[in-house]
Structure formats: C-alpha cells, structure tokens
Amino acid sequence: MNPFKILLKNVKLSAKTCGGKNALSIEEHKQHIRKVDLTYKDLEDVWYNKQKEKCFWFDVKLNPMWVLEKHHPLALSVDRLGIGNDYTKENIVISCRMANVGRGICDEEKFKEMIKYLKSEWDWEEYVENKPKMSQETWLKQVKL
C-alpha cells in the first residue's frame, strides 16, 4: 500500500472536517473548510525531493510507512503554512503528527525558535552526530503494522 495515498486521504478528511473542530456553528464550519489541490504524487515529490525524507519542523528522518500505524506520533502529516490557506503544493510541508499537532496555529518563526530551544536543551546536535548508524533494512523493520 502506498503511504502517500493514505496521507492524501488524511488531508482530504482534515480539509472537510475542519481539522477535527467539532464545536463549530454551520457558518464557522463553512469558513474553515479547505480546498485540496494535491495529488499523492505531489506529496511524494515534496517528501523525497524537497524535504529529503525529513520532518520539516524537527529535521529528522521519518519512515513513510508509519502513516499506516494508527495514532503513530511520528507518522507523516501535512501541515499548511500560513493561517487560512488551502492545501496546495506551494504552501504545504510534511512533518510528523507530533510536530503538526503541537504547532497548531503557532507562528512559523516562533515554532522554529521553540524547536531550536528544545534541541539546545536536549543536546540534540551532539546526539545526531553520535547516533548509531543503522542499515536501511533495519530502519524499515521498525514499522509495526
């Protein structure tokens, strides 16, 4: 199963349901519905060519197959840049669910500063430089389906 087809399905559901905002009036609901002008091929292109298989916010490599696991915090998630925008190839990034939900509608620059702060507190750079290397086969076996 192609994880980018599932990702696109998630985007369309989120666009239609206002990202899970259940307590909206009918008029507010209409204002929050987003158009989706994306294909799964667009998502693949952004992921592999533009973002080099990394979460846009955390800058860590993610496994696309995690989107097949229900509620996986590191599963791919499509994040719209700018408030109120539709889903187009030009204004989306792919992040992990944890980053997308955590960011919510926080300003992009402020969120980048928060991540920079967390990385400094966690000695992230030291960890990334010294992390154990694993084979692609081992990496893919981390997927639980």
Side-chain angles (χ1 to χ4, degrees):
M1 175 160 277
N2 185 321
F4 295 94
K5 288 182 179 181
I6 301 296
L7 188 58
L8 182 60
K9 182 179 169 186
N10 292 348
V11 169
K12 289 178 178 178
L13 180 63
S14 183
K16 190 187 317 180
T17 61
C18 307
K21 295 181 178 81
N22 296 328
L24 298 175
S25 69
I26 292 172
E27 194 55 43
E28 288 173 320
H29 189 270
K30 288 179 186 175
Q31 292 172 357
H32 284 86
I33 292 176
R34 304 287 172 233
K35 292 178 186 166
V36 179
D37 185 21
L38 289 169
T39 66
Y40 79 91
K41 290 284 189 188
D42 291 333
L43 296 174
E44 286 178 338
D45 184 51
V46 168
W47 180 245
Y48 290 111
N49 298 318
K50 185 176 177 186
Q51 291 186 213
K52 307 298 183 209
E53 303 178 43
K54 290 186 174 187
C55 171
F56 178 82
W57 298 111
F58 292 158
D59 194 35
V60 295
K61 201 163 189 156
L62 301 174
N63 187 329
M65 299 306 286
W66 288 334
V67 79
L68 302 176
E69 185 178 335
K70 193 172 185 173
H71 305 296
H72 194 303
L74 295 176
L76 302 185
S77 181
V78 176
D79 193 359
R80 290 176 293 119
L81 298 179
I83 297 173
N85 292 331
D86 292 326
Y87 291 90
T88 65
K89 190 174 179 181
E90 294 73 34
N91 80 318
I92 59 105
V93 294
I94 298 176
S95 66
C96 64
R97 282 184 185 146
M98 184 169 34
N100 194 354
V101 171
R103 185 176 89 85
I105 60 170
C106 180
D107 174 76
E108 295 163 36
E109 291 307 313
K110 183 176 183 179
F111 196 66
K112 285 179 185 176
E113 283 301 312
M114 287 182 222
I115 292 168
K116 187 176 177 182
Y117 167 74
L118 288 174
K119 286 180 176 182
S120 71
E121 286 294 304
W122 294 338
D123 293 325
W124 188 291
E125 298 304 323
E126 181 180 328
Y127 172 76
V128 169
E129 289 172 13
N130 297 317
K131 74 178 179 180
K133 302 288 184 201
M134 67 174 80
S135 69
Q136 183 177 8
E137 181 181 0
T138 303
W139 173 254
L140 292 173
K141 284 183 180 177
Q142 294 181 62
V143 181
K144 294 181 195 172
L145 298 179

